[in-house]
Amino acid sequence: MQQPPIADYGFLSDCRSGALVSRDGSVDWWCPGRFDGPAVLSRLLDADAGHWRLAPTVASRVERAYRPGTLVLRTVHHTAQGRVAVTDALAAEPGARGHELGRNSPAVLLRVVEGLAGRVPMRLDLAPRPEYGLLTPYLHEQPDGSVLAAAGPVTLALRGGAGPLRVTGDRIRQDFTVAAGEVVAFDLAYAPTYGPPPTRLDPVAALADTTAAWEAFRETHRYDGHYADLVRHSATVLTGLTYAPSGAVAAASTTSLPERIGGDLNYDYRYCWLRDFAGTMRAFWVAACPEEADRLFAWAARSIGRVGAGPVPVLFGLEGERDLTEYDCGHLRGYADSRPVRIGNAAWRQRQLDVPGEVVLAVWRFHDYLGETFDTELREMVVGLAEQVAATWRLPDQGMWETRGAPRHHLSSKVFCWVALDRAVRLAPRLGGRADPVRWAAIRDEIRATVLREGFHDRVGAYTGWFGSMDLDASALLLPLVGFLPADDPRMRATIAAVERELGAGDGLVRRWPTDPAGFLVCSFWLVECLVLAGEPERGRALFERAVTHVNDVGLLSEQVDPVTGAQLGNTPQALSHIGLISAAWRLTEPGTA
């Protein structure tokens, strides 16, 4: 089986878990317990690892869109026999509205078929394969016409349809015809085997309620600047990547979608990186509402815990788990034969010195919402991060791109060490007696002097990726975005020009470094911001409008784009790409706002 392009997938979310559904009507990825839990449908990573297809049995032309303000996906199939719509969603808890969305989601996948014209022959084909395809469940036809699938720790119940559902070998199938005005609805509910049975819902009523829940949440997204539709939709995607019980934001809903087809740079992104968390907070500040800042920063403080001598953790499980030991799912062939398929992420052990600065910067941006005096945990977190930076900024690290080679003195890491202490000095009146702004300011100034002396390479004529390196790195674009240097500083202008000239890959794309095979989308948006700050807003606007042509037909961005084919690459939807879009649109709207 040839797997669909990554851009063919739409994203469903109940703010606890995520699913991906292809243009041809196949749900090829669903982790029903939570985003980073085991998948029960994994055809995204192996043809035999489980799917649920619901589509016409005849050729069709597809149009699809989210219902406005939601992650409820409506796909219309145009066939020679007529037209039919399939609407897909992960069910919200009945009656949930606004910020209640996802707190107690029932783990039910809804699929509602509606006849629009003529008579269209349809087929349901469900092959559940829990534990990333390791388990083939027993399938039991029930007296009420439903089917129960049970294997290991997983129980699934498929209900609905045009008559009783039938088991055929190791899968469930049903053929039926939908005429104009008819509705045929299904729900697939998950539950742990040794607990209460799967929730039973009326799928039509549940779909309406879920749509209303998303629409209520959308009302909190009050952005009215440039590119409002793109920004609001990106904010909805970020909301969909948020694990509501804790407030953690998954970097993506998938694991091991490759940076290069057939390559081995395939990583599990279903966890919460503090870097992405901080960026998401800024994106919500721009595009949504700050009302939950207290809860989200409480998650960060409790996940980090008391800051000690060891590196500040880079990423966490969605409930703050620290140990994310990585292993190879050797039984899976990988997306388009791109191996390995990884579960877990070894970056949790890395030292990345930019992370404290990302978090303290987020606190600074939200300080007006956090009170004149911070609570104990938030205060201790900021002081602890500042003290660790003061003690460790001279060390080499793995950098924000999480290289797995030897540590280096990465430019962006040193700059964010400066950010951590600079913002901690500004926050000192709210940090209590342990704050040491005089010492922090002295170290901050020493870091700045070191970066200015060591970070610029005279032969290259630009700030480069690490001290002494001749290799450009797009992360140098962050210097003006965090206030380290103005964009019109002569050396910064030269760096922006060099990145645009040497790392630009055409069609609005920017690579991370010279040998990077694909455009890394957030780098394009960083360049947009730099051009605006350098006094070239029209060039920034033109670049933004080229970059956003890479959204798929339902407004989703993955991590990267192949500059030759235009194909999306990497895990999807990617929080960092949507964060970059929101930030760049805001910069074009309010050039002088930090």
Side-chain angles (χ1 to χ4, degrees):
M1 176 195 122
Q2 184 175 0
Q3 288 171 292
I6 291 169
D8 265 19
Y9 286 98
F11 172 52
L12 310 177
S13 170
D14 56 12
C15 294
R16 290 178 70 98
S17 65
L20 296 184
V21 56
S22 67
R23 284 178 60 85
D24 71 351
S26 185
V27 179
D28 289 344
W29 184 251
W30 185 30
C31 305
R34 58 187 235 183
F35 292 107
D36 55 354
V40 298
L41 305 174
S42 308
R43 187 157 72 170
L44 184 69
L45 298 175
D46 190 299
D48 299 323
H51 69 279
W52 181 11
R53 189 165 189 266
L54 180 60
T57 59
V58 295
S60 69
R61 177 175 60 85
V62 170
E63 293 179 317
R64 62 182 183 167
Y66 287 111
R67 290 184 172 174
T70 79
L71 292 180
V72 175
L73 183 63
R74 188 172 189 264
T75 302
V76 178
H77 297 271
H78 300 260
T79 77
Q81 291 77 14
R83 289 183 295 117
V84 64
V86 180
T87 303
D88 298 319
L90 286 174
E93 180 185 11
R97 295 293 183 270
H99 293 286
E100 297 171 352
L101 182 64
R103 299 288 177 89
N104 292 287
S105 297
V108 178
L109 179 54
L110 306 170
R111 311 198 74 181
V112 176
V113 183
E114 178 187 1
L116 302 177
R119 293 176 57 84
V120 180
M122 300 287 293
R123 174 171 294 162
L124 175 149
D125 180 17
L126 171 61
R129 298 291 184 269
E131 297 249 6
Y132 306 105
L134 280 174
L135 297 174
T136 300
Y138 294 104
L139 302 176
H140 303 285
E141 295 180 1
Q142 303 297 301
D144 63 358
S146 65
V147 175
L148 204 65
V154 171
T155 297
L156 297 168
L158 178 65
R159 306 179 181 103
L165 296 159
R166 297 301 182 199
V167 172
T168 303
D170 60 0
R171 59 186 58 198
I172 307 162
R173 284 185 172 158
Q174 185 178 87
D175 290 334
F176 58 98
T177 299
V178 178
E182 292 182 343
V183 173
V184 179
F186 301 89
D187 64 288
L188 180 63
Y190 156 84
T193 295
Y194 303 103
T199 301
R200 183 156 202 162
L201 298 175
D202 174 339
V204 174
L207 182 63
D209 198 45
T210 298
T211 303
W214 278 105
E215 289 171 344
F217 204 107
R218 177 63 175 267
E219 291 304 311
T220 68
H221 298 173
R222 295 187 291 265
Y223 177 86
D224 59 0
H226 295 327
Y227 307 103
D229 288 344
L230 283 168
V231 168
R232 290 172 186 155
H233 183 59
S234 286
T236 300
V237 173
L238 291 176
T239 300
L241 289 169
T242 301
Y243 180 70
S246 67
V249 180
S253 68
T254 58
T255 179
S256 298
L257 294 185
E259 296 182 11
R260 180 175 60 83
I261 300 298
D264 62 356
L265 299 180
N266 318 317
Y267 300 110
D268 193 347
Y269 277 14
R270 297 172 300 156
Y271 308 109
C272 184
W273 271 253
L274 287 177
R275 183 182 301 111
D276 288 9
F277 167 83
T280 302
M281 292 296 295
R282 181 178 190 241
F284 282 168
W285 176 75
V286 168
C289 61
E291 277 84 349
E292 294 207 320
D294 283 325
R295 186 172 75 93
L296 299 182
F297 282 117
W299 174 86
R302 290 168 189 168
S303 296
I304 293 170
R306 288 193 176 275
V307 180
V312 173
V314 175
L315 68 154
F316 299 92
L318 299 178
E319 294 183 355
E321 299 89 347
R322 184 73 61 90
D323 187 343
L324 301 177
T325 298
E326 183 179 294
Y327 67 92
D328 178 359
C329 247
H331 66 286
L332 294 174
R333 291 189 285 260
Y335 178 85
D337 292 319
S338 304
R339 294 186 180 91
V341 172
R342 293 181 168 98
I343 307 299
N345 197 305
W348 76 275
R349 294 181 179 275
Q350 289 187 354
R351 183 186 298 278
Q352 296 177 25
L353 290 173
D354 69 299
V355 170
E358 303 272 9
V359 176
V360 177
L361 180 59
V363 176
W364 169 250
R365 285 190 174 125
F366 273 80
H367 70 276
D368 284 342
Y369 299 99
L370 295 171
E372 290 300 320
T373 302
F374 294 167
D375 66 41
T376 300
E377 290 182 357
L378 182 60
R379 187 169 63 243
E380 288 298 310
M381 179 184 76
V382 174
V383 171
L385 293 174
E387 287 295 336
Q388 182 166 108
V389 166
T392 64
W393 73 270
R394 294 180 181 277
L395 297 175
D397 74 333
Q398 307 306 134
M400 69 181 305
W401 304 128
E402 302 186 341
T403 58
R404 298 198 174 190
R408 294 181 168 122
H409 293 282
H410 290 93
L411 176 80
S412 58
S413 297
K414 305 303 185 190
V415 168
F416 271 95
C417 287
W418 174 88
V419 168
L421 295 177
D422 180 73
R423 296 333 189 256
V425 168
R426 301 190 205 187
L427 289 168
R430 305 182 188 212
L431 298 179
R434 289 189 58 220
D436 195 351
V438 174
R439 182 169 59 88
W440 292 345
I443 299 171
R444 173 199 63 190
D445 295 344
E446 184 180 3
I447 297 171
R448 178 180 174 81
T450 301
V451 170
L452 294 175
R453 183 178 66 250
E454 305 290 341
F456 191 86
H457 200 292
D458 290 327
R459 288 174 58 189
V460 178
Y463 288 99
T464 56
W466 61 89
F467 291 175
S469 171
M470 294 186 66
D471 289 338
L472 288 170
D473 191 305
S475 63
L477 296 173
L478 291 167
L479 272 65
L481 305 190
V482 298
F484 184 85
L485 277 176
D488 58 1
D489 173 90
R491 285 185 164 191
M492 197 63 234
R493 272 191 176 277
T495 301
I496 294 168
V499 168
E500 189 174 14
R501 181 179 64 250
E502 302 295 334
L503 300 185
D507 204 19
L509 299 173
V510 177
R511 294 170 295 155
R512 288 170 290 181
W513 51 73
T515 59
D516 200 2
F520 202 84
L521 284 161
V522 75
C523 298
S524 299
F525 296 122
W526 290 344
L527 181 56
V528 169
E529 292 200 64
C530 284
L531 290 172
V532 174
L533 290 172
E536 301 183 75
E538 292 308 313
R539 290 188 63 220
R541 184 182 307 279
L543 177 61
F544 180 90
E545 292 179 354
R546 291 198 303 274
V548 298
T549 63
H550 297 292
V551 300
N552 73 355
D553 61 320
V554 290
L556 301 180
L557 291 169
S558 66
E559 182 180 40
Q560 296 179 266
V561 172
D562 187 311
V564 177
T565 67
Q568 290 194 7
L569 296 169
N571 288 301
T572 192
Q574 180 81 6
L576 198 57
S577 298
H578 287 278
I579 290 166
L581 184 155
I582 291 171
S583 295
W586 178 244
R587 187 72 67 183
L588 287 162
T589 301
E590 297 285 349
T593 304

